[in-house]
Amino acid sequence: MTVCGLIKTSQEPVPLQSISVDVVVQGFVADVVSELRYKNEEKNPVEVTFVFPLDDEAAVYAFEGLIGGTRIEAQIREKKEAQQEYEDALSEGREAFLLEREANTSDIFTCSLGNLPPSEEATLKLRYVQALAPEPDGAIRFVLPAVLNPRYEPQGSEKNTVTKSIPRVPKGKLPYTLSLCATLESSHGINRVESKCTLEPLRYTVEDHTAAQVSLAEGHQFDQDVELLIYYEDIHKPSAILEAGKPGAASGSLMGDPALLVTLYPSLQCTPKPGLSATGEFIFLLDRSGSMDCSSDYNIPDAPPRIKSAKETLILLLKSLPLGCFFNIYGFGSTHDSFYPQSVEYTQQTMSESLQRVKDLGADLGGTEILGPLKAIYSQPCREGHPRQLFVFTDGEVFNTDEVIAEVQRHSSSHRCFSFGIGDGASTALIKGIARAAGGSAEFITGKERMQAKALQSLKKALQPAATGISLHWDLPSGLEAVLVGSGPQVIFEGQRSLIYAQIRGQHQSSGASGGSVMLQYNFQGQTFTDTVKFPLQAEERDRLLVHRLAARALLQDLEGTGEKEEEKQRLALQTSLSSGVVCSQTAYVGVNTELGQPVQGPLVHRDVPLVGFQASMPRFKKRCGRGLPGLMCAMSAPMPKVYSELGEDLALEAAEEELLPKKEESPLLRLVSLQNADGSWVLDSNLASLLGLNEAEITSKTPEQVAPNVWATVLAILWLHSSAAEQRDEWELLEAKALHWLQATAGSQLTDCVKTGNAVLGTSVNPQTLGL
């Protein structure tokens, strides 16, 4: 079975002409309007289908069309009713359009435009709102997804995914264009905007830099996710927005009452030093499907394959684990395997064995079936006193997203899950869904970003004890009450944002009080912590009701979550979707041109809008990322479509060029990390000396008196990290903490003198106080 989208070779016209996107980012909320412009240049009426990705947390709340000068506002309906209305309109010769969400995942949408007459133009306008999360470095990340990789379906699967039938065109050959303009607003002030895409210069629209505009440079190819990293002057301040209800909506309903969005940044002030806790079971689940052998960034010629970045990350994670914990490493594709039958204690021997096995790993396990290994992991009993922490690395191309999330949810009481989406097109529904289900965090690694830094940030979170007893306490004037929308904060990590949505019910009876407050309370390491934010009770009037839509999306996530689909929850989800206008799995938007005089004449021709087909979307060849001729054996045993033949020469040339390139050496940082022992120390040998740019005899001769060789070697290694790898501090901070802990236990009184001598030997100037000495 061929599981990829076919590369389009025919010259069929594509009615979609352009996509223009306007984004307004206010603090942590993005309001997005996407316009799809169509023109039928054929002799017959056409039906156009466009399948596209959206972020898992996007709340689609409006859909309208302009067809032949007539504006048509689509109505949200129960999905089957909307589909029937659309089909009836087509059979009657009426122009119609339909927007629906894929059944088994929340991040794929299908837009259909039917009965567009010859020479006719149409514009469809889609609106959605999304809460944005800060990255580890403090940037606010907005992504307009463009890449929709085919979702892998195992042999014999009865389920079909729409991604299977999407036509694909080679990179740079999309027949439609993209433009994007973003308006940024923040009371904290806007520092800068970064992107892997080429942007026009940031333009401030007010003197105090609280508002600005930025847009994509002209000629942008819509063949990679468009990512904006927005840096505010100070983002870690709590904030609150109270939004007035929808005029005419019933009082007491979610849309009729004021809605509150509170953003908090809890601070766990007594977090222990990282790397010193010896408890925990750490399980690493690595995607080894064929697509992991593809480039981590198609726009950078020498970007490493995804599997290489993942392996380097695994090495850093292994080296950063605390002595005495337990660990195991699983790989999955069409099948799965593990390094050990069950988790083993982290010792010098098990670490060394695992390190060698990680270096030998390849993307050689075929498809992407993650459910099997998850069940294998959960079948293993948890270890008393060692909380289970699961780390999942995948490019996220699975078809059964809901089943996978449900499996993680079923075991959420026994573990935390930290997930990593690798490369453009990783499923946000899967990556965010499994982290949300098991109280962890989700990260996405695209473009030039280093997977290692984000993975180590997550390991720091995993080494934190869990906050417990999380509760909310409201202080409101008489006559008002706050009703939490959705489940509220389920997990708290140091410095991580917590979003709270609430419906404010009742009538304000007191003339004195003009504000309210909410206090988040939680227990951590035997102490009770609180975070409080105050807010005015004068609700803001907003046309688009963005806070209400976000609150509805949060409620829908809970109601349509994982596990058994309870009838009452499904009924409430349908009711919430229809009243708020936010699309869910049970609803769709439909619009019909009822003003059309004469029915559209002629046979209806169907056209699919193509997406870019990277090598990642092709059948997996033995050669890296499908780089080979059509005659090569396919790692997934898929028959070779003829349409690939036109790419054969390019692929063969690329493969030949790759063979001539010199093999890249391991980075100095990775070489140093690989030499570290499980207890945090280094051995004084020729390998370490070479990396430091000295010879072993020279280093040995300068060893301070009464200092053991491994103590001296460990001090030199730490000094090298501070002087030669300072920019990658996030990646080695935990293993340095382990090394310092070992040093202080082994040679505490000698360390300051060792650092001074080490600085002289290496020509560095690291202050002993920097090392906590």
Side-chain angles (χ1 to χ4, degrees), residues 9 30 48 123 145 207 289 364 412 478 510 599 713:
T9 56
V48 193
T123 299
E207 287 186 9
S289 62
D364 51 8
S412 59
S478 175
S510 169

Side-chain angles (χ1 to χ4, degrees), residues 646-657:
E646 70 176 44
L647 300 175
E649 289 183 18
D650 290 342
L651 294 175
L653 182 61
E654 191 176 346
E657 288 173 349

Side-chain angles (χ1 to χ4, degrees), residues 296-405:
S296 53
D297 190 337
Y298 296 103
N299 296 289
I300 301 175
D302 59 347
R306 298 169 186 174
I307 190 69
K308 184 174 185 291
S309 297
K311 285 163 60 176
E312 290 181 1
T313 303
L314 261 183
I315 291 170
L316 282 165
L317 287 168
L318 269 177
K319 291 290 187 173
S320 302
L321 292 179
L323 206 60
C325 72
F326 287 79
F327 77 101
N328 203 352
I329 296 172
Y330 285 74
F332 71 93
S334 301
T335 60
H336 65 271
D337 58 26
S338 62
F339 281 17
Y340 306 99
Q342 58 186 29
S343 296
V344 295
E345 187 175 350
Y346 181 75
T347 64
Q348 181 62 37
Q349 182 181 344
T350 56
M351 186 207 71
S352 298
E353 289 174 358
S354 300
L355 194 66
Q356 188 53 53
R357 294 183 69 176
V358 167
K359 291 179 178 180
D360 294 337
L361 290 177
D364 51 8
L365 291 185
T368 312
E369 295 184 44
I370 193 173
L371 200 54
L374 282 174
K375 288 181 175 179
I377 290 166
Y378 296 141
S379 70
Q380 298 281 348
C382 293
R383 293 180 174 273
E384 185 70 29
H386 289 273
R388 178 172 285 175
Q389 318 279 0
L390 175 62
F391 290 74
V392 179
F393 298 87
T394 178
D395 55 13
E397 299 174 14
V398 303
F399 80 105
N400 55 343
T401 302
D402 286 352
E403 289 179 65
V404 173
I405 296 172

Side-chain angles (χ1 to χ4, degrees), residues 424-589:
D424 287 339
S427 167
T428 58
L430 176 73
I431 305 303
K432 291 184 177 182
I434 59 176
R436 192 164 49 231
S441 61
E443 300 287 355
F444 292 86
I445 298 103
T446 60
K448 298 177 183 178
E449 289 180 304
R450 285 180 63 80
M451 190 186 307
Q452 293 86 332
K454 289 191 172 183
L456 269 295
Q457 288 276 0
S458 292
L459 181 57
K460 289 176 193 174
K461 293 174 184 175
L463 289 168
Q464 291 179 16
T468 58
I470 300 171
S471 59
L472 293 169
H473 304 275
W474 299 89
D475 182 13
L476 293 169
S478 175
L480 294 178
E481 68 165 333
V483 179
L484 191 65
V485 179
S487 54
Q490 299 298 297
V491 61
I492 293 174
F493 293 115
E494 168 64 32
Q496 188 173 13
R497 181 195 64 168
S498 290
L499 291 182
I500 300 166
Y501 297 100
Q503 179 181 341
I504 307 298
R505 289 180 174 171
Q507 294 293 322
H508 190 181
Q509 296 174 357
S510 169
S511 58
S514 60
S517 67
V518 58
M519 179 177 71
L520 176 68
Q521 181 174 309
Y522 49 95
N523 301 322
F524 184 73
Q525 292 186 309
Q527 295 187 43
T528 299
F529 292 85
T530 60
D531 282 272
T532 303
V533 64
K534 296 180 179 180
F535 50 88
L537 290 172
Q538 183 61 45
E540 297 180 30
E541 303 280 347
R542 295 182 172 210
D543 291 343
R544 297 186 187 174
L545 300 166
L546 303 185
V547 173
H548 284 76
R549 317 283 192 191
L550 287 171
R553 182 74 185 101
L555 180 57
L556 287 168
Q557 271 181 340
D558 279 2
L559 293 173
E560 289 199 312
T562 51
E564 295 300 316
K565 303 294 185 185
E566 300 170 25
E567 191 174 324
E568 178 61 16
K569 282 190 173 182
Q570 291 294 89
R571 186 188 66 78
L572 284 173
L574 177 60
Q575 181 182 321
T576 301
S577 178
L578 293 174
S579 63
S580 66
V582 175
V583 173
C584 74
S585 63
Q586 303 178 67
T587 56
Y589 270 102

